[in-house]
């Protein structure tokens, strides 16, 4: 799971880790799988991907060619992720589920590499939610200097 390598959630222990830290890895992997599950991600991604084409048509002349291409690519990744989620079946084997999760992680990373979706689309989904300059949500009561990169 290349995408999780930076989190220390790939195969094998990271150098310098003791056994207590190794026990923590499966829990983190399960948490990531829960956060990236169909129940959590699919509804939002589906909604954004459905709004994107109209937004792109309306705003193509207002944004740079690079931004337009980035947003178009990002929408294509969202559509691919939704298609992967739509393939899920209760009868899928653990191996199929694992491969699908790894593929979704890869697609999510590529989607994130394109930056944040337009605030007009995301803002409609979560009115009042603000984002910082890196596109991370600003949570009420958190210090400005605290961020996760």
């Amino acid at each position: 799971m290349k995408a999780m390598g930076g989190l220390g959630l790939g195969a094998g222990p990271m150098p310098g880790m003791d056994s207590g830290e190794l026990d923590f890895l499966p829990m983190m992997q399960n948490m990531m799988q829960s956060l990236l599950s169909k129940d959590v991600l699919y509804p939002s991604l589906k909604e954004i991907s459905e709004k994107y084409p109209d937004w792109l048509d309306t705003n193509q002349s207002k944004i740079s060619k690079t931004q337009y291409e980035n947003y178009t690519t990002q929408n294509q990744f969202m559509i691919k992720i939704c298609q992967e989620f739509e393939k899920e079946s209760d009868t899928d084997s653990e191996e199929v589920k694992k491969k699908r999760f790894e593929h979704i992680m890869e697609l999510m990373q590529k989607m994130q590499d394109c930056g944040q979706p337009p605030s007009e689309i995301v803002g409609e989904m979560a009115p009042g939610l603000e984002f910082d300059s890196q596109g991370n949500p600003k949570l009420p009561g958190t210090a400005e200097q605290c961020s996760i990169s």
Side-chain angles (χ1 to χ4, degrees), residues 8-41:
L9 299 175
M14 291 177 51
M17 294 183 85
D18 63 32
S19 63
E21 291 170 315
L22 291 176
D23 293 339
F24 183 67
L25 292 179
M27 182 186 78
M28 284 298 295
Q29 188 170 9
N30 287 337
M31 185 172 30
M32 289 298 294
Q33 286 176 326
S34 294
L35 291 172
L36 298 175
S37 71
K38 181 178 181 178
D39 292 339
V40 174
L41 281 182

